[in-house]
Amino acid sequence: MIYQLEQAMYQLSELFMAPVLILIAGLFIYSLFAIGQYVMQSIQRKQNTQPFYQLLNGELGKNHQLNLTGYPLAQLANNYPQVTKDQLDVNALTLLEGVRNVSRLAPMLGLIATMVPMGPALKGLADGNIQGISENLIVAFSAVIFGLVIASITFWIASVKKRWLAEELVALTPLLKESQQKTKTINTTTAEANNEAA
């Protein structure tokens, strides 16, 4: 019974190899895409620093012509002045979700792709099949290297983007408070006018 279970688990683990390698290849392509996004956003941030400071010195929603590309939270707040700080927090987490998940997932997939070929490699060692050992070890080490490279790239990008978003949120907080106070004042005035009319 235990032997059959072991054999079934061994055979199932071999079935995971192809999907895991495909996922690692896909995540590597994603990490290259993430580098391109990061470079593009850093260029946009440098180009649009002036409009961002104009927004901070003005009022949310007053000038929709400001080019805030590269500053996603500022762009959202300027387009929707009623947005709350909590909503911007959620939006920031959504923007970071991809690279953060990949930075955690890639090493795990690399470890799976390392451990799966170790079974056949050890079996080859017992059978004296040196070529089979080397082939399995090449796959194992290549997979873990790719997993760590992907994790390193995406972790670094996630860290920098997290700092950018935190800086934006801190800078926008006073404007958000002003916008909410104005909204409350307008609502109070409207309510009073409606009561008087009634």
Side-chain angles (χ1 to χ4, degrees):
M1 178 68 181
I2 299 297
Y3 176 75
Q4 290 172 341
L5 184 62
E6 286 173 352
Q7 287 299 309
M9 289 180 74
Y10 173 70
Q11 288 166 1
L12 278 173
S13 69
E14 286 190 327
L15 291 176
F16 293 139
M17 192 62 186
V20 166
L21 288 176
I22 291 167
L23 277 171
I24 289 173
L27 292 181
F28 182 70
I29 292 166
Y30 173 84
S31 68
L32 297 178
F33 176 72
I35 289 173
Q37 273 189 324
Y38 166 78
V39 170
M40 196 66 196
Q41 189 176 358
S42 61
I43 292 167
Q44 289 170 340
R45 285 175 70 86
K46 283 181 183 175
Q47 288 174 343
N48 298 325
T49 305
Q50 195 67 31
F52 178 63
Y53 284 122
Q54 281 180 336
L55 176 70
L56 296 181
N57 293 325
E59 187 180 327
L60 289 177
K62 205 164 190 179
N63 188 358
H64 289 289
Q65 304 304 318
L66 288 174
N67 186 2
L68 296 167
T69 310
Y71 294 89
L73 299 184
Q75 201 168 24
L76 179 64
N78 194 40
N79 290 336
Y80 304 98
Q82 289 81 24
V83 73
T84 64
K85 189 178 177 185
D86 291 337
Q87 288 170 325
L88 289 181
D89 276 332
V90 171
N91 191 260
L93 287 173
T94 305
L95 292 169
L96 288 173
E97 198 168 26
V99 284
R100 286 180 69 188
N101 285 342
V102 170
S103 70
R104 287 166 172 79
L105 188 61
M108 290 186 257
L109 290 174
L111 184 61
I112 292 169
T114 303
M115 297 310 293
V116 170
M118 294 305 281
L122 291 171
K123 191 176 179 202
L125 182 63
D127 297 341
N129 182 4
I130 304 299
Q131 186 179 353
I133 296 168
S134 63
E135 286 173 1
N136 283 305
L137 289 179
I138 286 168
V139 173
F141 288 120
S142 300
V144 78
I145 287 166
F146 267 87
L148 292 173
V149 167
I150 294 163
S152 301
I153 291 169
T154 50
F155 177 77
W156 175 66
I157 291 171
S159 299
V160 176
K161 284 191 170 184
K162 186 178 179 182
R163 176 176 53 81
W164 286 349
L165 293 168
E167 287 171 355
E168 274 185 69
L169 197 56
V170 168
L172 289 168
T173 300
L175 292 177
L176 292 170
K177 286 179 181 174
E178 283 177 24
S179 180
Q180 285 170 0
Q181 285 174 352
K182 283 183 181 177
T183 304
K184 282 180 185 176
T185 306
I186 291 167
N187 289 342
T188 306
T189 308
T190 306
E192 287 174 358
N194 288 340
N195 288 337
E196 286 175 8

